[in-house]
Amino acid sequence: LAPPPPYQCSPATYQWVAPTLANVALGDDAQFIASLPFSFPFYGNSATSVVVGANGFLRLDGGAATQFGNATIPSNTEPNGYIAPFWDDLNPGAGGTVGTGSFGSAGSRQFVVSWQNVPHFSVTGSGLTFQVVLEEATGDFLLNYQDVMVGSATYDAGASATVGVENPQGTAG
């Protein structure tokens, strides 16, 4: 299903965003809270923080982001109110990094969450590298993918991942 207004899926020119990141030592199924340097509009609310989950998704302004079992979108069961660039059972505790960073001037800042070389829980070896970029000027978000191959047909290229956005009520996505 296509996302409901105000969100639309559209192609964008690929450009990996690489600000200086504040990396967090994040274990398996863990989370951390990051303050946004600007208010980000999300389904009629104004988010001032994100809860970043080890498993490839973030929630805007609250709620746990520790769930490793991804779900279809929409679903009225927790979690709700999230952006999922690559929600799957990932394990940054076994390698890779998860970090946040922002750059730009007031009115046109970007806030970036990057999962870099994070392994899938069930596969040893290669890790996944992807990110979410929140845009202050437009209220848009970008999902960027640098490497989504771990050497397993079950998990490569997001074969078992959930990718998308869901409203805080879990009724639209």
Side-chain angles (χ1 to χ4, degrees):
L1 296 173
Y7 298 103
Q8 298 177 24
C9 295
S10 60
T13 302
Y14 177 77
Q15 182 176 356
W16 186 259
V17 180
T20 300
L21 296 177
N23 291 325
V24 175
L26 201 56
D28 185 33
D29 301 333
Q31 68 180 29
F32 70 95
I33 299 171
S35 295
L36 297 174
F38 52 86
S39 293
F40 184 76
F42 188 70
Y43 282 103
N45 297 320
S46 184
T48 57
S49 65
V50 294
V51 182
V52 178
N55 293 307
F57 72 98
L58 56 92
R59 294 184 73 174
L60 286 94
D61 272 345
T66 57
Q67 295 84 348
F68 65 88
N70 53 323
T72 57
I73 299 172
S75 172
N76 60 4
T77 60
E78 284 292 321
N80 299 121
Y82 60 82
I83 298 171
F86 202 103
W87 180 12
D88 212 341
D89 193 3
L90 308 181
N91 186 5
T97 60
V98 180
T100 62
S102 62
F103 66 99
S105 302
S108 61
R109 291 172 287 195
Q110 292 181 313
F111 182 80
V112 180
V113 180
S114 290
W115 289 258
Q116 297 179 327
N117 203 30
V118 173
H120 192 281
F121 184 82
S122 300
V123 180
T124 58
S126 299
L128 302 155
T129 299
F130 56 92
Q131 67 184 190
V132 176
V133 182
L134 305 179
E135 306 237 348
E136 179 181 27
T138 62
D140 292 342
F141 62 89
L142 302 171
L143 306 179
N144 290 325
Y145 301 91
Q146 194 172 77
D147 185 1
V148 291
M149 306 300 277
V150 294
S152 167
T154 303
Y155 305 110
D156 280 349
S160 69
T162 296
V163 176
V165 59
E166 183 180 87
N167 72 350
Q169 296 77 32
T171 57

